[in-house]
Each structure stands twice: as structure tokens, then as C-alpha cells.
Amino acid sequence: MKKFILLLLAALYCVSSPAAVAVRDTATIHKTGWNFAPLPVVSYNSDLGFQYGVCCDLFNYSDGSMFPNYRDHFYVEASRYTKQQTLLYTQYNSDYLIPNIQSTFVASYQLDPMYYFYGFNGLETYDPGLNANKELRTARYSYWRSMIRVMADFQGNIIGPNFRWAAGAAFWNFRIADLKMDGYDAENTLFYEYKSNGLIRPEEADGGSHLELKLGAVYDTRDFAPSPSRGIWAEAFFTGAPDFFRAGTSYLKFCAHFRQYLSIARNDAFVFAYHLAYQGTVAGRTPFYLLQNIYNLRMLQTSSEGLGSANTIRAVMPCRLLGESYAWANVEFRIRLFKFNLIKQSWYVGVNPFFDCGAVLRPYEIEKYASAYPERSVEELKAASRAFHSSVGLGLKLGMNRNFILSVEGAQPLNRGDGEFGVNVGFNYVF
């Protein structure tokens, strides 16, 4: 698992303001105009090498009257591993670009020379000794992938500001191939085995392009979107792709998220938050390379894939559970330990113990799997695919102006074969 090492955020600002003095438990500083927080990205992976890059959050608070809400928000990231893994990402959010419409735009490119593939429905036994083992020349759970994503989502009022319609579109382009990394046998992978056994169709083995359309509704009573202390954030929508590009597949999915935030302490220093989610195919069949997509109407992370990963069941290996339908839940306590003012910014430090869980409800291609591996019956495979997976962990949060939130989370999977203790460093809360 990737282990991120980020430079201390405060040090970046102290360079430009060496005379800054911290003040404990002071009033919030109101910001005006543009405010930005650049941060270097540094990490190391034994197979992909060193990662280097930069990311930046930019907020436009205009005249400050709406603070801590903002008029415009940009997030930009560019990072690369010395062995080719690349991420280029940008996101823009605004409630004012189009009058009375919430607008979100995302564009990203990601190249993964060793993308994760643990099979369908969590049925395959995971052997860590075969995961990127150069002595055996095997990276059994990997293949080569590149992805282009362009998204535009909009929300407008139906009844007051809390009940809104939602609509949008997304273009996806996936290019897929066997491993191209030196030192590994491209035919000694689960991906190659699935292709040979017919579990991955020839017309999907190289990837494809899709134009997805979204339509749904949102109910949102949060007091403050980036780090809410109270309220409900619920959304239900359909998303699907007609066969515009003659890829041979079309599909329609229903997605639902229910999130609630309950302030237990008077000063909002202790918040109980939970997230219940469902995503399932209601018509058609999803190409295998789209199974990992987790759909939201507003992205909080640069990646939204599962089931597993830092966005769904934390510390469970990314894309460990690939099925046609999922259900999962996240439960956590958000505790603000203290707040302070530093270099003309308002900060807080907090922790968030959490519990995550989820399962595949409708397995993918289960009959084909039973034909390829006849030693297990369809009924046995269906029961195994619906196994309950979970993890438990603790996070540390550093928030600036309640908008820019640096997150460090460590978690332990509770199921054998789902991975080991993992640490993730990123931005924002998971929900």
C-alpha cells in the first residue's frame, strides 16, 4: 500500500511569515479575496518508485461576507512516480458561476502501470506473496491502465435551497493492456487468466469509451459543506450510458447516499457522523473496467473507486470487491481537540475514530465464474460473494478555515485476505 509523506503544512506558511504567532482558542479569522494553500506531494512505493508533484487548493471568498463559504473553489494536482504512474487532476466548484445553480467540473488523467485487479465479487483468495514479487516475476493482481475522465454536474433548487434537482454528464475513456513493467511476466496475472477463461470478454479487454448521463435529487441541510457539524446530506440518482461509442454494452445504475451529522457538544467539538450507501445496476450490463466506479454528485477526493480503498471501506485493498451492486456504510466520531490562529489563518486539529463495512449484493458474471471454476457451485459462489467486509481505524485532521482539510488516516481490515494495516494521507473527510 502506498505510504504518503507530506511536508508539514504550517512550515510552508512560516517561510512567508516567520513572525507568525499561534493563538489558542481565538475567534475565527474572516478571509476575503483569493486564498490558496500549495502543498508538495512526496511518497515512495517499492515497485513504482518515488512520487513527486504538487497540489493546491484555491478559494475565492470575494468580499468575505459569505465566509467560511466561498464563491469559487479550484483544486489542482499534478504528480508522477519515477516509474510512470501519473495523475493530472483539476476540479472547480461554484454556486455563483451560473446564477442559482451549483456547478462542479472535473477533468483528470491517470496512468496506472500496475492497476489493481483482485477478481470479481471478492471470491479469489489473496496471496500477498504473489503481489509484485520480482523474484517470482509475478504481479498477479495487476494490469496496465490509463483513464481520462471529464465530468460536469449541476444542481438547482426545487423547493427552497435544501431540496434540489441534480443532472450531469461524464465522459470516460479507458485503455487497458497486460502488464508492461520490466521484471514481471505479463501472462502470470489474474487479469490474463480471466481473459483466457472468458470471464473478461474480448471486446472489453482493451477498454473503451462511455458517455454517462445523470439525473436525480438532493436533500441537503448541512450547516457547512466541507466539515459539517449538523444536518443531512442525501442524494438519489440514476446514471447510465447508452452505447454511443458502439462498445457493445449499455447500462443504467441507481445510486443512493444518506449522510447525517449530529453535533453532540455545544461548540460543535464532538460530531457523530454516518454514511449509508447503495449502488446497483438496474438495467444492462456493466463493462468489467467500470465496476470499480463509485458515483457521487460531488467528488470529495481525486479518486472515487471501490469497493475497498480510502473512499469506501478504508484499508481494504482498492477494488477488492467488484460486483454489479454494492452496499456500504461509514460511521465515525469527529472530535476537534483545539483551534488556533496562525499566519492570518484559522486552524483546528481533530481526530476521527471510524468503522467501515460493506458487501456485494449482486455478484458479477457469477454463472460464467462457475463455468470457469466448476469445483464451486453457483449457490456457493453467490453466498461467498455476499460476505461482510469491514475495517476500523483512526484519523487525524488539520483544518484551515474549515475548507482546506489535511487528513491522515490509519485503518486495519477485519477480514483475512482484505489487506493489512494501511495509512492514507489526503484531503477532506470521506463523506
Side-chain angles (χ1 to χ4, degrees), residues 114 130-133 137-142 179 184-185 188-189:
M114 299 182 71
L130 300 179
N131 191 9
N133 188 325
R137 289 180 51 81
T138 180
R140 179 166 174 77
Y141 309 104
S142 301
L179 276 179
Y184 297 109
D185 181 0
N188 191 11
T189 65

Side-chain angles (χ1 to χ4, degrees), residues 148-373:
I148 295 174
R149 172 181 54 191
V150 180
M151 303 171 59
D153 290 308
F154 307 95
Q155 297 182 29
N157 295 344
I158 298 177
I159 304 174
N162 301 127
F163 187 39
R164 304 189 295 267
W165 58 262
F171 170 77
W172 302 85
N173 175 262
F174 292 88
R175 295 176 57 206
I176 296 172
D178 291 312
L179 276 179
K180 302 179 181 181
M181 298 286 287
D182 294 336
Y184 297 109
D185 181 0
E187 296 185 359
N188 191 11
T189 65
L190 192 61
F191 173 68
Y192 188 87
E193 178 181 319
Y194 271 37
K195 289 195 301 179
S196 302
N197 289 341
L199 292 175
I200 293 177
R201 306 181 184 214
E203 61 270 23
E204 298 178 8
D206 298 328
S209 297
H210 301 270
L211 178 63
E212 293 179 339
L213 305 176
K214 296 178 186 175
L215 183 63
V218 178
Y219 179 71
D220 188 356
T221 63
R222 289 173 295 171
D223 58 340
F224 183 63
S227 55
S229 299
R230 57 181 59 83
I232 291 174
W233 179 22
E235 56 190 36
F237 60 95
F238 290 94
T239 183
D243 194 10
F244 287 123
F245 298 96
R246 298 184 179 179
T249 57
S250 59
Y251 53 89
L252 178 66
K253 294 179 180 289
F254 176 72
C255 309
H257 299 266
F258 183 88
R259 314 165 184 91
Q260 187 170 16
Y261 312 88
L262 302 169
S263 179
I264 298 175
R266 285 186 179 181
N267 58 357
D268 297 334
F270 197 104
V271 175
F272 173 69
Y274 66 93
H275 170 215
L276 307 177
Y278 168 82
Q279 175 178 307
T281 303
V282 296
R285 188 187 61 83
T286 309
F288 91 93
Y289 51 80
L290 282 170
L291 291 174
Q292 78 285 346
N293 282 5
I294 300 298
Y295 295 95
N296 297 277
L297 293 178
R298 197 156 190 170
M299 292 188 63
L300 300 180
Q301 314 287 340
T302 57
S303 175
S304 185
E305 298 183 335
L307 205 56
S309 81
N311 300 305
T312 52
I313 310 176
R314 283 164 279 193
V316 170
M317 296 180 297
C319 309
R320 175 62 173 140
L321 308 172
L322 296 181
E324 283 281 19
S325 298
Y326 309 114
W328 71 100
N330 314 101
V331 179
E332 62 185 44
F333 292 96
R334 299 176 179 178
I335 306 168
R336 291 185 193 171
L337 301 177
F338 60 90
K339 59 183 179 180
F340 59 95
N341 292 337
L342 176 64
I343 48 172
K344 298 182 180 180
Q345 310 289 343
S346 178
W347 304 80
Y348 75 86
V349 175
V351 294
N352 61 305
F354 59 83
F355 172 76
D356 300 336
C357 60
V360 172
L361 299 184
R362 178 184 167 194
Y364 183 77
E365 301 278 305
I366 199 73
E367 288 79 11
K368 275 194 171 185
Y369 192 96
S371 298
Y373 302 96

Side-chain angles (χ1 to χ4, degrees), residues 9-30:
L9 185 59
L12 295 174
Y13 289 94
C14 289
V15 171
S16 60
S17 182
V21 178
V23 181
R24 195 181 184 91
D25 293 325
T26 58
T28 300
I29 295 175
H30 284 260

Side-chain angles (χ1 to χ4, degrees), residues 350-417:
V351 294
N352 61 305
F354 59 83
F355 172 76
D356 300 336
C357 60
V360 172
L361 299 184
R362 178 184 167 194
Y364 183 77
E365 301 278 305
I366 199 73
E367 288 79 11
K368 275 194 171 185
Y369 192 96
S371 298
Y373 302 96
E375 62 274 11
R376 304 176 72 181
S377 67
V378 173
E379 291 72 21
E380 179 186 357
L381 292 171
K382 286 183 178 180
S385 69
R386 293 175 182 142
F388 187 79
H389 299 255
S390 58
S391 68
V392 62
L394 177 68
L396 176 66
K397 296 291 190 289
L398 175 63
M400 183 184 74
N401 300 325
R402 293 189 67 186
N403 281 310
F404 181 86
I405 302 169
L406 178 64
S407 171
V408 182
E409 293 183 327
Q412 174 65 49
L414 301 181
N415 300 67
R416 181 178 298 178

